[in-house]
């Protein structure tokens, strides 16, 4: 029964994908490039990646409830869907960043309440040190990390395949590392994301804020779940940094750069790393770099987890060198007119 329900879930994801335009029109979820100057695509694209993700998550929830397998996914899926709905409302109503920042905390704090095992109150580092945060500090740290990842992944969602490629790497790593009771659920999520990617790459649909929010909380909570589980390879606090480095580091870089220039940190611009690479090398350069950046580092942390701290330093160095080079190789056109790849 478990496998049958998951199979039906995958079928639902495929069917919704083929009807993406119809679903987008019905829900009012169309990304019109005429409405925002920084958009690079030329026609309205349905922002229904969240709907496809929800279809897959509903099947996982039902299968877990009926069979009693992978029940730890149920509260995570519920809160990921909750935050995804907030994102859908943002896609439709264009909420201000102030309202978004307030509402994003609600599903995150709810998840910590109904799944207290996700509370990170001790940070075990790969070099042997342990940082005790205490209960209050642990709640604040866990919530801040999850909200921060939601914001970072949403800001990274500016090119086809970007956040989905990150999600694919993460879910695959989790499937390999997770206990046997959880690996099947992560493998299923990997297939769901792969199906969505097949529709996203040719711009048949975009993830939208709803899809980005839901994927971020789903993967962030899963990473913390790996931190507290009996995995096939040790998971340290800095191992999680290795996994999530690209969206987080680039988000911090962009926010700092904009603040130094006196601009709003959340002002839509084309200054993310993927924009620089797309403009200076090729329209798919951002996707290729982001995938291998996370994939290679993730494999390294899987192979030598005790050197996760060193891998993080290597990631920072690679990111810094790449940004430095791409910024100077980038064409001078302010709106990156040479970039033709559809951007969300």
């Amino acid at each position: 029964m478990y496998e049958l329900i998951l199979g039906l879930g995958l079928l639902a994801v495929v069917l919704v994908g083929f009807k993406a335009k119809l679903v987008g029109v019905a829900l009012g979820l169309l990304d019109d490039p005429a409405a925002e100057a920084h958009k690079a695509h030329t026609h309205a694209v349905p922002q229904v990646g969240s709907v496809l993700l929800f279809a897959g998550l509903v099947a996982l929830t039902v299968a877990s409830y009926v069979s009693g397998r992978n029940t730890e996914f149920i509260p995570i899926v519920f809160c990921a869907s909750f935050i995804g709905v907030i994102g859908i409302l943002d896609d439709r109503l264009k909420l201000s960043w102030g309202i978004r920042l307030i509402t994003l905390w609600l599903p995150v704090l709810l998840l910590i309440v109904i799944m207290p095992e996700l509370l990170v109150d001790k940070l075990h580092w790969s070099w042997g040190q342990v940082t005790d945060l205490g209960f209050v500090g642990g709640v604040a740290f866990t919530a801040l990390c999850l909200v921060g990842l939601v914001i970072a992944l949403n800001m990274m969602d500016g090119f086809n395949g970007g956040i989905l490629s990150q999600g694919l790497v993460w879910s695959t790593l989790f499937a390999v590392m997770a206990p046997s009771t959880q690996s099947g659920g992560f493998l299923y999520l990997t297939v769901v994301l792969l199906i969505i990617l097949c529709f996203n790459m040719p711009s048949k649909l975009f993830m939208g804020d709803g899809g980005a929010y839901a994927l971020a909380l789903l993967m962030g909570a899963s990473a913390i779940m790996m931190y507290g589980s009996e995995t096939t390879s040790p998971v340290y606090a800095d191992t999680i940094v290795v996994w999530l480095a690209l969206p987080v580091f680039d988000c911090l870089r962009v926010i700092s750069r904009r603040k130094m220039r006196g601009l709003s940190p959340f002002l839509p611009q084309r200054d993310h790393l993927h924009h620089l690479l797309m403009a200076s090398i090729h329209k798919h350069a951002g996707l290729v770099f982001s995938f291998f950046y996370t994939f290679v580092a993730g494999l390294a942390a899987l192979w030598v987890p005790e050197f996760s701290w060193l891998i993080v330093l290597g990631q920072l160095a690679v990111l810094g060198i790449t940004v430095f080079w791409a910024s100077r190789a980038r064409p001078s056109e302010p709106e990156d007119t040479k970039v033709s790849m559809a951007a969300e």
Side-chain angles (χ1 to χ4, degrees), residues 113-128:
V113 169
I114 62 180
M115 199 172 179
E117 57 267 34
L118 291 182
L119 175 65
V120 180
D121 56 359
K122 287 185 174 61
L123 299 176
H124 296 265
W125 304 101
S126 60
W127 59 85

Side-chain angles (χ1 to χ4, degrees), residues 108-154:
V108 168
L109 292 173
L110 176 62
L111 178 60
I112 296 174
V113 169
I114 62 180
M115 199 172 179
E117 57 267 34
L118 291 182
L119 175 65
V120 180
D121 56 359
K122 287 185 174 61
L123 299 176
H124 296 265
W125 304 101
S126 60
W127 59 85
Q129 183 177 346
V130 178
T131 303
D132 192 346
L133 301 175
F135 176 76
V136 175
V139 171
F141 177 79
T142 306
L144 180 62
C145 287
L146 290 174
V147 171
L149 180 62
V150 170
I151 295 172
L153 205 65
N154 184 55

Side-chain angles (χ1 to χ4, degrees), residues 55-326:
L57 294 180
V58 167
L60 178 60
T61 302
V62 173
S64 300
Y65 180 79
V66 171
S67 67
R69 296 164 57 179
N70 293 326
T71 53
E72 60 272 17
F73 284 105
I74 295 177
I76 296 177
V77 167
F78 174 78
C79 291
S81 300
F82 181 8
I83 205 169
V85 170
I86 294 175
I88 289 176
L89 291 175
D90 181 32
D91 285 326
R92 289 207 57 177
L93 305 177
K94 305 303 179 185
L95 303 175
S96 69
W97 263 105
I99 295 177
R100 276 187 272 180
L101 287 174
I102 293 174
T103 55
L104 290 180
W105 289 90
L106 300 178
V108 168
L109 292 173
L110 176 62
L111 178 60
I112 296 174
V113 169
I114 62 180
M115 199 172 179
E117 57 267 34
L118 291 182
L119 175 65
V120 180
D121 56 359
K122 287 185 174 61
L123 299 176
H124 296 265
W125 304 101
S126 60
W127 59 85
Q129 183 177 346
V130 178
T131 303
D132 192 346
L133 301 175
F135 176 76
V136 175
V139 171
F141 177 79
T142 306
L144 180 62
C145 287
L146 290 174
V147 171
L149 180 62
V150 170
I151 295 172
L153 205 65
N154 184 55
M155 292 181 70
M156 183 183 176
D157 186 27
F159 63 113
N160 292 345
I163 64 173
L164 286 168
S165 66
Q166 297 297 290
L168 278 170
V169 173
W170 296 332
S171 60
T172 302
L173 286 173
F174 299 159
V176 171
M177 299 179 64
S180 57
T181 56
Q182 299 175 355
S183 59
F186 286 118
L187 182 60
Y188 169 77
L189 290 175
T190 301
V191 178
V192 169
L193 295 178
L194 185 59
I195 294 173
I196 301 175
L197 180 66
C198 291
F199 290 102
N200 177 238
M201 284 305 298
S203 295
K204 298 297 183 183
L205 59 83
F206 289 160
M207 289 297 287
D209 290 344
Y213 288 1
L215 181 61
L217 187 55
L218 180 66
M219 291 296 144
S222 296
I224 296 176
M225 189 163 64
M226 292 296 96
Y227 181 66
S229 301
E230 295 293 331
T231 54
T232 57
S233 177
V235 176
Y236 302 102
D238 38 326
T239 306
I240 298 181
V241 178
V242 171
W243 295 339
L244 309 179
L246 182 59
V248 173
F249 289 168
D250 194 47
C251 176
L252 293 175
R253 179 191 68 84
V254 168
I255 289 177
S256 299
R257 179 176 180 272
R258 293 175 185 175
K259 290 293 290 183
M260 291 174 62
R261 297 174 64 193
L263 301 173
S264 168
F266 306 113
L267 177 69
Q269 285 189 310
R270 301 181 63 78
D271 54 353
H272 285 279
L273 175 60
H274 58 268
H275 291 132
L276 302 179
L277 292 172
M278 290 161 64
S280 59
I281 303 178
H282 187 271
K283 64 181 182 179
H284 293 307
L287 174 60
V288 173
F289 177 86
S290 62
F291 175 81
F292 282 102
Y293 182 93
T294 303
F295 178 71
V296 172
L299 284 183
L302 183 64
W303 181 39
V304 283
E306 65 275 13
F307 290 107
S308 291
W309 65 272
L310 188 59
I311 298 171
V312 172
L313 293 179
Q315 288 176 295
L316 282 170
V318 170
L319 183 64
I321 293 170
T322 304
V323 169
F324 179 82
W325 175 84

